[in-house]
Amino acid sequence: MNFTKVEFIKSAASPKDFIYDGLPQAVFAGRSNVGKSSVINSLVRRKNFARVGSQPGKTSQINYFLIDSKAYLTDLPGYGYAKVSKAERDRWGKLMENYFSQNGLITLGVMIVDARHKPTNDDILMANWFKEADCRFIIVANKIDKVKKSAINENAAVIRETLALSDTTPLILYSAVTGTGRGELIAAIENALVI
Ligand code: GDP
């Protein structure tokens, strides 16, 4: 898998549109503004593939991309965006409850957190959803270019501790800006999807 052929397939706002066709799915989640779109764009080496910047009204959709005709990159709507209305937050919650209550949709959970900060309560909830789903799970600590070298180990330890990660859960130090961690993330995705 080299992420050269990437196609947008569809957006899903309700369970009837979820894709469940047997192909493996790497499911990306993260707080709004954590850089989830930028991470996806850096993976597929496109500038504007996943939309950078929060889009009011678009926060309650799951976007499906097909990678090299072999696997889906499934982009869950970001969470924790302060300017979102209660109605939209409720829609997000319902969609996620529906999504995580289906069995076998997720082959690999890819959760993106900010390498600079302690994970938020929302991050902890999202990590717990992935842990309860019967899937593999990796953490991507994005914006590592903004962390002083001397603080990297400490920040990684805080992320591991706050999300109560098991020792076997990979934590990939990443920068969508410099490309740090890209090879490692691709290898982890390939390994988990067995493609
Ligand atoms: P999303 O809401 O999670 O999809 O986040 P975006 O991809 O829109 O990114 C939010 C902001 O963070 C944008 O201004 C990006 O340019 C910036 N950003 C994303 N990834 C990185 C990174 O690895 N390093 C730095 N320094 N900035 C980043």
Side-chain angles (χ1 to χ4, degrees), residues 12-34:
S14 65
K16 68 175 176 7
D17 293 320
F18 293 169
I19 295 179
Y20 195 9
D21 62 5
L23 287 184
Q25 302 200 20
V27 178
F28 282 58
R31 188 171 55 70
S32 293
N33 226 30
V34 72

Side-chain angles (χ1 to χ4, degrees), residues 1 13 28 31 33 38 40 51 57 67-68 71-72 77 83 100 103 116 118-119 122 132 141 146 162-163 184 192:
M1 195 160 92
F28 282 58
R31 188 171 55 70
N33 226 30
S38 302
I40 293 171
R51 186 69 80 119
I67 310 288
D68 299 335
Y72 291 104
K83 288 188 189 131
F100 280 92
N103 287 327
R116 298 169 297 181
K118 187 175 159 148
D122 289 336
E132 283 162 22
K146 292 276 200 187
T162 309
L163 298 179
E184 202 185 335

Side-chain angles (χ1 to χ4, degrees), residues 30-39 41 51-54 142-146 174-178:
R31 188 171 55 70
S32 293
N33 226 30
V34 72
K36 180 159 59 64
S37 310
S38 302
V39 169
N41 288 332
R51 186 69 80 119
V52 173
S54 299
N142 189 40
K143 309 197 185 184
I144 199 70
D145 58 291
K146 292 276 200 187
Y174 202 93
S175 168
V177 170
T178 65

Side-chain angles (χ1 to χ4, degrees), residues 45 63 67 114 129 134 153:
R45 294 204 200 277
N63 290 315
I67 310 288
D114 193 319
W129 262 335
D134 188 19
N153 286 345

Side-chain angles (χ1 to χ4, degrees), residues 54-74:
S54 299
Q55 290 254 296
K58 295 278 181 193
T59 56
S60 308
Q61 291 186 340
I62 295 170
N63 290 315
Y64 288 97
F65 304 96
L66 186 61
I67 310 288
D68 299 335
S69 310
K70 286 182 189 157
Y72 291 104
L73 191 164
T74 305

Side-chain angles (χ1 to χ4, degrees), residues 103-114:
N103 287 327
L105 281 183
I106 307 171
T107 317
L108 169 72
V110 181
M111 191 173 142
I112 300 166
V113 296
D114 193 319

Side-chain angles (χ1 to χ4, degrees), residues 1 6 26 32 63 79 81 87 91 98 113 134 149 152 170 183 189:
M1 195 160 92
V6 205
S32 293
N63 290 315
Y79 50 84
Y81 187 52
R91 262 203 306 281
N98 276 328
V113 296
D134 188 19
K149 282 223 159 55
I152 288 177
I189 292 172

